[in-house]
Amino acid sequence: MAPDDVEAQRRRWRDLIDERLPAAAAAHPDWPVSRNHCFARILLDNACGGPWRESVAPPAWVNMPPERLALALSLGEAVLAGRQDLAVLNHRSLLWRRKRPVPAPPARLPGDGFGLRRWRLADDAPFAALCADPEVMRFFPAPKTARESQAEARALDRRFEEDGFGPWALETPEGFSGFVGCWRPARPLPFGPLLGRETGFVEIGWRLARHAWGRGFAVRGARLALDDVFSRCALTEVVAYTADVNAPSRRVMERLGMTEIGGFDHPGLPEGHPLRPHRLYRLEAADVLDGGGPRACRLR
């Protein structure tokens, strides 16, 4: 962006924050804020996908990358036009800043012809069968025993109690058909150089029974899970990773709008193992926002 354009953008920002939004607040007693610094916090946080001071040095209107300031401006204009709910943006900002508790997870996320729900003890047998299927597990080091699968199922469901989100059981017309959702990696992984930080990763993943393949459940289920963690939990980003050779999962990541950001060797696999080379993908909350609000459901 040319220097004159940058300066014009900054003037529009100051006018929006200092004049137009505070003036409009007088006619909107339902708005959660009315002061310029509060409007700035809300719009900048939502443009950055988290507390703006974590990624931008103050003053933000000077140091914010032009594309992010443009997003903040578009959100403010959408608020003024009635196309964006200021209360929703404020709620996300306060969640990110730990000023509000994360709401409890729902029992179910309904989809079109399927649903995501919490785990049940009756899922143990079909999950064990899924994890023992060599075709399902072909991109894992080995299939799992029934005891290993049961332990994994309990650990996956406990994520909801620990973090407020987790991998949902996928329910299709055939019954339990696998899982889709988000969780914090249990083992240290060498993401730091690729993501620019060493902690705080949340990944999204899926594992589906063979009868559920080719029916769009991985993509549609992941979109439901993403909508939940980006809205209710206000996560700033999710990552996904898989073996280089796992073309089906990589296609799902691409259809979700995730960006491939690099490769790494999985530390749980020995040198020379064909599954050791992995690819890392990322999706940021700020990249699924526009002037009309979250667009996770409209990813390609």
Side-chain angles (χ1 to χ4, degrees):
M1 183 179 289
D4 287 348
D5 294 333
V6 170
E7 186 57 35
Q9 183 187 57
R10 292 173 179 173
R11 286 196 300 270
R12 294 203 318 275
W13 172 256
R14 297 312 317 172
D15 180 59
L16 177 70
I17 293 301
D18 292 335
E19 304 294 338
R20 298 172 63 207
L21 282 168
H28 291 276
D30 57 316
W31 280 6
V33 301
S34 59
R35 297 184 177 182
N36 58 355
H37 67 276
C38 295
F39 289 119
R41 167 185 59 81
I42 293 169
L43 299 181
L44 293 171
D45 281 2
N46 277 272
C48 291
W52 63 265
R53 287 178 181 269
E54 293 182 359
S55 57
V56 178
W61 64 280
V62 173
N63 295 313
M64 180 81 76
E67 65 275 11
R68 290 297 185 200
L69 191 58
L71 176 55
L73 279 163
S74 71
L75 288 171
E77 294 292 350
V79 168
L80 288 171
R83 292 184 287 105
Q84 176 65 62
D85 189 339
L86 184 65
V88 171
L89 296 180
N90 184 51
H91 178 67
R92 289 170 59 86
S93 170
L94 294 175
L95 282 175
W96 283 325
R97 291 167 178 259
R98 303 295 185 263
K99 301 296 185 182
R100 287 183 180 173
V102 175
R108 180 181 177 85
L109 298 177
D112 184 9
F114 74 100
L116 303 182
R117 58 164 174 78
R118 295 291 297 273
W119 292 70
R120 303 168 184 161
L121 293 179
D123 299 331
D124 284 357
F127 186 55
L130 179 160
C131 294
D133 186 334
E135 277 299 299
V136 173
M137 302 298 287
R138 69 190 186 279
F139 296 114
F140 289 80
K144 295 179 181 287
T145 66
R147 184 179 294 275
E148 290 171 335
S149 297
Q150 183 185 72
E152 184 180 18
R154 299 293 180 275
L156 293 176
D157 190 50
R158 278 197 302 272
R159 304 287 186 143
F160 287 92
E161 310 304 327
E162 297 165 358
D163 298 320
F165 57 89
W168 301 87
L170 171 66
E171 183 85 22
T172 69
E174 292 84 359
F176 176 86
S177 299
F179 68 78
V180 183
C182 299
W183 62 90
R184 300 186 190 279
R187 68 161 67 227
L189 289 165
F191 293 163
L194 297 174
L195 294 175
R197 68 178 194 280
E198 298 298 330
T199 60
F201 312 126
V202 173
E203 68 174 284
I204 185 166
W206 42 85
R207 192 184 311 161
L208 274 57
R210 222 189 299 187
H211 67 254
W213 292 1
R215 299 162 67 184
F217 290 132
V219 173
R220 291 186 287 153
R223 286 173 176 165
L224 283 182
L226 286 169
D227 281 348
D228 179 59
V229 296
F230 283 151
S231 56
R232 180 179 61 85
C233 304
L235 295 188
T236 59
E237 70 172 12
V238 298
V239 300
Y241 61 91
T242 192
D244 276 5
V245 295
N246 189 350
S249 276
R250 293 180 66 178
R251 283 196 295 271
V252 172
M253 295 168 194
E254 290 163 1
R255 289 187 63 193
L256 291 172
M258 306 189 83
T259 300
E260 182 184 340
I261 60 172
F264 67 96
D265 289 333
H266 197 293
L269 296 168
E271 191 76 38
H273 194 289
L275 297 178
R276 191 166 193 248
H278 271 55
R279 308 304 297 176
L280 180 67
Y281 290 73
R282 174 170 59 189
L283 183 66
E284 296 183 72
D287 290 335
V288 293
L289 288 175
D290 59 19
R295 57 178 174 88
C297 282
R298 298 190 286 109
L299 293 168
R300 67 175 182 273

